[in-house]
Amino acid sequence: MPEIKSDQFDVSRVRAVLFDMDGTLVDSDGAVLRSWLAWASEYGVDGEQAYEMAHGSPSATTVRKLLPHLDEGAMVVASARQLELQYDDLSDVTATPGAHDLLVHLTLRGLPWAVVTSADSRLAKARLAAAGITAPVLVTTDDIAAGKPDPEGYLRAAELLGVDPADCLVVEDAEVGLAAGRAAGAHTAALRGLDGDLRLNTLADLTRIMG
């Protein structure tokens, strides 16, 4: 069952919902794992470690942590290579359980929503299309200077929707994303056993909570 963690959080006051993409709206776990294992093999680092470090963060951030000895030019090349491995790997990318029903529910209720992702624009659009999702507002790493856990992406999405961040609900499956949502001043809904104002098993829980 979904759990409301804060007795001060009134779901009825939510004026917009800001979603992470990978692992939240889009199930791309297989593609992400394959890309990091292949990239790690090319660059001589631990693939499983790379995959775990990368969850919820921009690829460039993870590459920088794994290969701190590279100069800036080599870092750009390594980061570009990692993304290249992801762009066309869409064979098993789908919407997460409950995603489509929730988005229809939000639309019928007149609640605006956006996607804020650690992917770049090309990758985000490809994965959302594969999952059959069209985001009315999409904020990617191409649109901001600092990725999660920095709140810039969520603040930008709230601004584009014309909603105060304090009236937004950020839905995330990674701790860095939840940290970004909290830093933006938003309420949070957490998947994958993480802690937020709401704790969800699937997005279907959020549909039920929001009535």
Side-chain angles (χ1 to χ4, degrees):
M1 293 290 292
E3 180 182 359
I4 299 178
K5 296 289 289 183
S6 172
D7 58 8
Q8 297 179 345
F9 176 41
D10 182 358
V11 179
S12 68
R13 296 186 61 185
V14 170
R15 295 292 175 261
V17 183
L18 311 179
F19 294 96
D20 171 52
M21 183 180 72
D22 292 307
T24 299
L25 279 182
V26 176
D27 181 353
S28 56
D29 288 358
V32 174
L33 176 59
R34 288 190 296 271
S35 72
W36 280 105
L37 291 178
W39 179 88
S41 177
E42 292 181 10
Y43 280 86
V45 298
D46 185 305
E48 292 289 346
Q49 179 190 26
Y51 173 68
E52 291 299 325
M53 289 176 62
H55 187 58
S57 299
S59 294
T61 300
T62 304
V63 170
R64 191 174 297 277
K65 290 178 180 177
L66 290 167
L67 302 172
H69 60 282
L70 295 184
D71 62 32
E72 192 59 32
M75 191 74 67
V76 169
V77 171
S79 299
R81 174 56 180 158
Q82 206 292 317
L83 284 171
E84 182 184 338
L85 290 165
Q86 299 191 57
Y87 288 140
D88 298 322
D89 189 350
L90 304 170
S91 61
D92 55 357
V93 173
T94 61
T96 56
H100 285 299
D101 288 343
L102 174 57
L103 298 179
V104 169
H105 181 72
L106 295 179
T107 300
L108 291 174
R109 285 195 55 190
L111 280 177
W113 59 275
V115 175
V116 179
T117 176
S118 293
D120 68 1
S121 181
R122 177 180 170 185
L123 182 58
K125 290 177 180 178
R127 284 195 177 145
L128 288 168
I133 294 171
T134 302
V137 169
L138 175 62
V139 178
T140 74
T141 56
D142 293 331
D143 303 309
I144 56 176
K148 302 170 187 178
D150 191 281
E152 184 182 357
Y154 283 119
L155 291 172
R156 177 64 175 152
E159 178 186 15
L160 290 170
L161 293 177
V163 178
D164 190 316
D167 295 325
C168 293
L169 178 66
V170 165
V171 187
E172 273 277 358
D173 76 314
E175 189 53 52
V176 292
L178 290 167
R182 295 185 194 105
H187 297 289
T188 57
L191 293 156
R192 302 201 189 208
L194 298 177
D195 198 24
D197 295 310
L198 302 175
R199 295 181 67 177
L200 310 173
N201 295 311
T202 71
L203 294 181
D205 291 338
L206 187 54
T207 303
R208 288 191 290 271
I209 291 171
M210 300 194 76

